[in-house]
Amino acid sequence: MPRTRVRPSILALGLLALLAALPSSLFAGSKLDGHWEGSIQIPGNALAFNLDFKTDDGGAIVGDISIPAQSLQDRALVAVSLDGDRAKFAIADIPGNPTFDGALSADGAKIEGKFTQGGATLDFALSRATGAADRARTALADFPAFAERAVAAWNVPGTAIAVVVEDEVVLAQGFGVRDVESKAPMTADSLFAIGSTSKAFTTAVLGMLVDEGKLDWDEPLRKYLPEFRLKDPLTTELMTPRDLVTHRSGLPRHDLLWYNNNNSTRAELVAALAHVDATASLRQRYQYNNLMFLTAGDLAERLTGKTWEEVVRERILAPLGMTRTTFDVHDSQKDPDFAQPHRETDDGKLERIPFRDISLIGPAGSINSSVSEMSRWLRFHLDGGKVDGHQLIRPATLADLHAPQMAIPAPPSRADISSGAYAMGWVVDTYRGHRRLAHGGGIDGFITSVTLFPDDRVGVVSFTNVGSGLPSVLAQHAADRVLGLEPIDWNGEGLERRKVARESAKTAEAKLATTRREGTQPSHPVADYRGEYQHPGYGTITIGGEGDRLAVTYHEIAAPLEHWHYDVWSGADTAGTEGDPTFEDIKFQFQGDLDGNVARLAIPLESAVAPIVFRKKAAAKMSDPAFLAGLVGRYQLSSQPVTVELSGTRLQVSLPGQPTYTLEPSVGDRFQLAEIPSITVAFSIDSAGRATALTFYQPDGVFEAQRIE
């Protein structure tokens, strides 16, 4: 008999449109309530779809349809008729008059029939099935026992995890303790510092501003932030908002600009970017950079006239009901249920550590939340940017936030996990055949992991209150169960990697001493190294200490230094003390000028660039108008008069036939000619504070001028 010819590609497109609008009341009657899975038999293939039905208060059946292959999720179903065991429904406004006509089995477990469209007739079949959320709960039934064992194996105080499937939280639980001293139990409501998983909140609010026409991802950033500057003028002009949030600015991290910095403003940090070195051209290389996300937050503030915190709270936290989520660790500690940060000592002891206030870098990482409240954030993304039916961000904009933007040049760790790419606040890869969006976070005493499988409508958030690889282990273990994947011993693999890494670290630490030159001495008295050293981007670092010892203070981090060799000091070990470990083993190289003064301090604060060079600040009197007034006068240099005058807080010196030079304060009680840095000037001063002579130190000689008036 003749058969109808079907062009599968056209039909598949028709089915996408058809099934995208599949009606909610396909059937009438509560016997259809529940979850159904099935397929339409396209020649040579089967298009899988699933339906969910429930009877509303008016007796009508409502529901939705999802087609994973077409990335169609929970599209509402509309009008239907059911006559006895016969179900028939048509899809309006779809070419070809698509129609389903099927029979409900006597036991109510199956629906089978014909799908017709444009003269083509295909078989379809549906079977009653357990809903995805219910299946996930079953799969996770013994997960708590696994988590308890993992907490002990990883030696963490506590952990918390939440798993979302479709629009339901199928697991939300804490394990262990949130504080090793009080033994208070960890709960799903315990607040953690979520670190860099905050970045996706910043990109979401920027996406909302894109929807409102206030921002274009690909316009020059200086259109919105005219004062924005980087060292490279071309990069300055070409940088876009998209570049800010995809780690492709060309700058490495430079994290010590902001770390523990409680005195600068966000605008001052953005200004400091003009004075730090890049290591690549714009868009040339993936380089993680928190300061670019801080700039993105500054951009949001500029466009809205509100603080980043206000924008995130109004546009995300409030609509999602994340009422306990904070932006500052001082606020999170006012909550009755918060996790205390910890560290593990070399002998395996867990001990409390202070909270690290990183509110300055807020747009890149300062949010504090619980897995319970973060599950609402997961649901927001899995539901296409909707909350309670209200669209907060356009689906297309959200898809852009989730789309790969910048390749991450790292080989995959396994054959079934692809290399990753950075989206906007998310890392994108393929995990065992499933598209995955994920991001980790880490700040002193906290590690966090947020994971989405958007095509499967699955999300996982897991936190620990000590530095540990456990959150990603828990996330992958839970995902494998929910996605029905063959088990992998992520826990065992992670523990083995940790063991190897610790052994390697011990070996490397033992070998560090071999780099030290024994029997050397500093070239100056220890007191000569003390003082304030300045860098236009990194600010001021202070070298102090008493007796023959030195200490460093930077951004309120105070740490002891020990002599390493020659003019190099090293950050001392703070183990067993209350000291801050930030500068442990960091080398501080003091450098001299041509006159033998300690004039500079080089420190490798950013490993991707050459050591950052700080210049020693001149004594305060060198800018004191009262002191400088005693230097003003006329001097005689051989047959030439030399005039010294005061302009504000700077001296100026004039010689006949030459331009006026400005004297900049330098080290060793000397001034430097701003216009000719190789020439320095020193004054001889009597007991009354009045200069009696001045001396020019030049490369070709030393020239002295006596005061004449």
Side-chain angles (χ1 to χ4, degrees), residues 133-294:
D134 289 335
R135 292 197 302 274
R137 290 186 182 93
T138 300
L140 295 169
D142 63 345
F143 184 88
F146 166 79
E148 293 285 4
R149 294 193 300 271
V151 165
W154 283 85
N155 191 31
V156 303
T159 188
I161 185 169
V163 180
V164 174
V165 177
E166 295 185 334
D167 199 36
E168 297 185 44
V169 179
V170 298
L171 173 69
Q173 192 169 343
F175 305 91
V177 299
R178 51 190 172 92
D179 182 357
V180 295
E181 294 185 10
S182 71
K183 306 300 182 184
M186 189 73 76
T187 75
D189 294 316
S190 299
L191 295 178
F192 292 74
I194 73 170
S196 287
T197 58
S198 304
K199 288 179 169 65
F201 288 80
T202 297
T203 57
V205 295
L206 289 180
M208 294 173 187
L209 295 174
V210 169
D211 287 349
E212 295 168 9
K214 297 178 180 177
L215 176 68
D216 186 317
W217 288 119
D218 301 310
E219 284 289 315
L221 178 61
R222 279 167 49 82
K223 174 180 177 180
Y224 310 104
L225 296 176
E227 71 280 11
F228 177 79
R229 295 285 188 284
L230 295 177
K231 259 192 174 182
D232 178 49
L234 182 59
T235 302
T236 298
E237 297 301 327
L238 294 179
M239 180 80 75
T240 66
R242 191 184 299 273
D243 295 321
L244 288 179
V245 295
T246 51
H247 300 306
R248 60 190 195 188
S249 67
L251 269 70
R253 298 179 71 116
H254 288 293
D255 279 339
L256 281 172
L257 276 173
W258 60 264
Y259 188 72
N260 211 66
N261 185 345
N262 299 312
N263 297 312
S264 298
T265 65
R266 288 174 183 164
E268 287 171 339
L269 278 191
V270 173
L273 294 173
H275 305 286
V276 297
D277 290 330
T279 53
S281 301
L282 179 66
R283 304 174 197 136
Q284 178 189 9
R285 184 190 311 163
Y286 171 85
Q287 294 186 113
Y288 197 87
N289 191 287
N290 288 299
L291 291 162
M292 291 296 104
F293 267 85
L294 175 135

Side-chain angles (χ1 to χ4, degrees), residues 37 114 401 510 600:
E37 295 183 352
K114 300 293 184 180
L401 298 180
R600 293 175 298 275

Side-chain angles (χ1 to χ4, degrees), residues 1-5:
M1 60 182 293
R3 300 178 60 188
T4 303
R5 293 177 59 86

Side-chain angles (χ1 to χ4, degrees), residues 32-50:
L32 292 176
D33 286 6
H35 182 73
W36 296 79
E37 295 183 352
S39 63
I40 298 173
Q41 295 303 311
I42 300 174
N45 199 356
L47 182 64
F49 64 99
N50 62 76

Side-chain angles (χ1 to χ4, degrees), residues 499-527:
K499 177 184 175 182
V500 171
R502 289 182 172 185
E503 291 173 351
S504 177
K506 287 181 180 179
T507 301
E509 185 177 356
K511 291 181 177 179
L512 183 62
T514 64
T515 66
R516 190 174 193 172
R517 300 290 184 90
E518 299 292 343
T520 66
Q521 299 294 326
S523 63
H524 288 259
V526 171

Side-chain angles (χ1 to χ4, degrees), residues 198-534:
S198 304
K199 288 179 169 65
F201 288 80
T202 297
T203 57
V205 295
L206 289 180
M208 294 173 187
L209 295 174
V210 169
D211 287 349
E212 295 168 9
K214 297 178 180 177
L215 176 68
D216 186 317
W217 288 119
D218 301 310
E219 284 289 315
L221 178 61
R222 279 167 49 82
K223 174 180 177 180
Y224 310 104
L225 296 176
E227 71 280 11
F228 177 79
R229 295 285 188 284
L230 295 177
K231 259 192 174 182
D232 178 49
L234 182 59
T235 302
T236 298
E237 297 301 327
L238 294 179
M239 180 80 75
T240 66
R242 191 184 299 273
D243 295 321
L244 288 179
V245 295
T246 51
H247 300 306
R248 60 190 195 188
S249 67
L251 269 70
R253 298 179 71 116
H254 288 293
D255 279 339
L256 281 172
L257 276 173
W258 60 264
Y259 188 72
N260 211 66
N261 185 345
N262 299 312
N263 297 312
S264 298
T265 65
R266 288 174 183 164
E268 287 171 339
L269 278 191
V270 173
L273 294 173
H275 305 286
V276 297
D277 290 330
T279 53
S281 301
L282 179 66
R283 304 174 197 136
Q284 178 189 9
R285 184 190 311 163
Y286 171 85
Q287 294 186 113
Y288 197 87
N289 191 287
N290 288 299
L291 291 162
M292 291 296 104
F293 267 85
L294 175 135
T295 306
D298 188 49
L299 173 61
E301 293 181 346
R302 184 68 56 87
L303 295 175
T304 62
K306 299 179 180 180
T307 66
W308 170 80
E309 289 84 353
E310 289 171 334
V311 175
V312 172
R313 186 169 297 285
E314 291 176 8
R315 290 175 175 263
I316 298 176
L317 302 187
L320 270 60
M322 299 175 68
T323 58
R324 294 175 56 245
T325 297
T326 74
F327 301 96
D328 188 309
V329 292
H330 299 102
D331 291 334
S332 66
Q333 292 173 76
K334 298 173 185 176
D335 192 284
D337 189 353
F338 67 89
Q340 179 76 31
H342 300 80
R343 68 181 169 190
E344 184 180 10
T345 63
D346 290 340
D347 59 2
K349 180 183 177 182
L350 294 170
E351 61 183 17
R352 275 180 160 198
I353 61 173
F355 280 87
R356 184 75 66 179
D357 182 0
I358 60 168
S359 52
L360 177 62
I361 201 73
S366 75
I367 290 176
N368 308 276
S369 192
S370 66
V371 297
S372 287
E373 293 212 342
M374 287 293 286
S375 68
R376 300 171 187 237
W377 175 239
L378 298 178
R379 291 166 62 191
F380 165 75
H381 284 272
L382 295 175
D383 203 25
K386 289 188 295 187
V387 177
D388 297 328
H390 180 61
Q391 197 78 47
L392 297 186
I393 187 170
R394 292 176 182 169
T397 304
L398 189 65
D400 198 15
L401 298 180
H402 293 172
Q405 307 284 335
M406 188 68 188
I408 299 174
S413 58
R414 301 172 57 97
D416 52 0
I417 301 178
S418 72
S419 295
Y422 205 83
M424 290 193 267
W426 299 93
V427 175
V428 187
D429 65 8
T430 299
Y431 173 85
R432 307 188 71 189
H434 297 259
R435 183 167 67 101
R436 177 173 65 172
L437 303 171
H439 211 291
I443 195 65
D444 305 49
F446 294 103
I447 297 293
T448 60
S449 172
V450 178
T451 305
L452 296 169
F453 296 94
D455 301 332
D456 305 280
R457 301 206 62 207
V458 171
V460 185
V461 55
S462 53
F463 300 154
T464 56
N465 55 339
V466 72
S468 171
L470 181 57
S472 60
V473 165
L474 293 177
Q476 293 183 159
H477 185 86
D480 287 354
R481 287 174 177 242
V482 172
L483 297 173
L485 301 174
E486 188 72 21
I488 291 176
D489 186 12
W490 297 116
N491 194 49
E493 289 185 10
L495 289 169
E496 180 61 25
R497 281 195 301 272
R498 182 183 69 162
K499 177 184 175 182
V500 171
R502 289 182 172 185
E503 291 173 351
S504 177
K506 287 181 180 179
T507 301
E509 185 177 356
K511 291 181 177 179
L512 183 62
T514 64
T515 66
R516 190 174 193 172
R517 300 290 184 90
E518 299 292 343
T520 66
Q521 299 294 326
S523 63
H524 288 259
V526 171
D528 286 2
Y529 300 101
R530 297 189 180 110
E532 291 185 337
Y533 295 77
Q534 294 179 312

